[in-house]
Amino acid sequence: DTAVSQTPKYLVTQMGNDKSIKCEQNLGHDTMYWYKQDSKKFLKIMFSYNNKELIINETVPNRFSPKSPDKAHLNLHINSLELGDSAVYFCASSQVRGTSGVNEQFFGPGTRLTVL
Amino acid sequence: QKEVEQNSGPLSVPEGAIASLNCTYSDRGSQSFFWYRQYSGKSPELIMFIYSNGDKEDGRFTAQLNKASQYVSLLIRDSQPSDSATYLCAVNEPSSASKIIFGSGTRLSIRP
């Protein structure tokens, strides 16, 4: 009964390849996120979808393309992988309530991407 | 650029003592504040959230918020070795209902 799941857990690939990471949540939340955590452990938001609509799109290279087929799934496709893309990518979900910022986010286990 | 600042540590606390973790934020309009715990190699786990000035207690954890000083803290009483982890402070960005900004985390080490 995993709440937020991601696949794969580990991804090792060569520079220039294209890869995808999948995320699913069974919490009934309407908002999902992709975060990148670099080697210094800084957690930075990349994208957010609310009911399949893109609502946050931070300054991320356009090689990164999120896709949300429904509100329970959010995938991340990365084209032409570069060494600097090596990081842990976390998916998260939440049920945002009102405009007060009530936004408790729950994280998936992460995907460790290594680009060689 | 909205900022959330934390001392990176490591903060070393003897077992059984109180661990005090601090966080400051730059946007006075922020309304919700979160503490996440992240064990090495694991994902962040929400342990506390606070929306009102003052203290909020949950078991051994107490979150403290002072909006006038733009300061939020987490106290861990009776610290255990299992509390050794990185603690991430997160703050909502007022211009976006969905976006929260994370600090870089404080590494806490509880020594037996």
Side-chain angles (χ1 to χ4, degrees):
Chain A
D1 58 345
T2 306
V4 183
S5 59
Q6 293 178 230
T7 55
K9 190 169 173 64
Y10 298 97
L11 190 50
V12 181
T13 188
Q14 300 286 332
M15 273 176 53
N17 283 350
D18 303 338
K19 290 293 178 186
S20 292
I21 308 171
K22 295 179 184 288
C23 178
E24 176 181 0
Q25 56 95 4
N26 63 7
L27 297 166
H29 289 164
D30 59 8
T31 306
M32 296 184 72
Y33 309 80
W34 280 114
Y35 285 88
K36 179 181 180 181
Q37 188 170 47
D38 59 25
S39 56
K40 295 182 179 176
K41 307 300 183 188
F42 187 61
L43 194 61
K44 186 168 169 52
I45 190 165
M46 301 172 70
F47 303 103
S48 176
Y49 272 77
N50 177 270
N51 280 321
K52 301 191 295 177
E53 181 184 345
L54 181 66
I55 56 172
I56 295 175
N57 185 356
E58 293 294 289
T59 307
V60 175
N62 58 16
R63 299 181 294 106
F64 291 79
S65 51
K67 192 165 290 187
S68 181
D70 55 61
K71 74 174 193 176
H73 295 85
L74 179 62
N75 304 323
L76 182 65
H77 187 77
I78 315 170
N79 289 325
S80 303
L81 277 155
E82 301 178 356
L83 293 176
D85 298 332
S86 295
V88 180
Y89 292 84
F90 287 104
C91 176
S93 74
S94 71
Q95 186 68 30
V96 180
R97 299 196 292 273
T99 56
S100 64
V102 176
N103 182 9
E104 299 137 38
Q105 297 186 13
F106 297 88
F107 284 76
T111 296
R112 183 173 294 276
L113 171 65
T114 303
V115 182
L116 304 175
Chain B
Q1 175 70 25
K2 311 295 191 296
E3 290 186 349
V4 178
E5 301 279 350
Q6 294 181 256
N7 189 321
S8 61
L11 175 65
S12 181
V13 172
E15 185 174 356
I18 296 175
S20 177
L21 303 159
N22 304 315
C23 172
T24 59
Y25 59 95
S26 64
D27 195 324
R28 193 169 283 279
S30 293
Q31 296 290 325
S32 11
F33 308 86
F34 308 88
W35 283 100
Y36 284 81
R37 177 177 61 201
Q38 187 174 23
Y39 292 114
S40 181
K42 301 294 185 182
S43 58
E45 173 194 7
L46 181 65
I47 54 171
M48 288 285 290
F49 56 88
I50 186 167
Y51 308 128
S52 304
N53 269 332
D55 294 0
K56 179 182 178 183
E57 188 174 317
D58 183 1
R60 296 187 296 112
F61 298 96
T62 299
Q64 299 176 316
L65 174 61
N66 183 327
K67 289 185 181 179
S69 301
Q70 295 176 237
Y71 178 93
V72 58
S73 63
L74 179 70
L75 302 178
I76 307 175
R77 287 183 300 281
D78 187 25
S79 296
Q80 303 295 310
S82 60
D83 295 326
S84 297
T86 296
Y87 289 80
L88 303 170
C89 173
V91 175
N92 82 292
E93 184 174 291
S95 62
S96 166
S98 304
K99 187 175 177 181
I100 61 175
I101 300 168
F102 284 83
S104 55
T106 297
R107 192 155 56 94
L108 175 65
S109 176
I110 307 299
R111 56 182 190 271

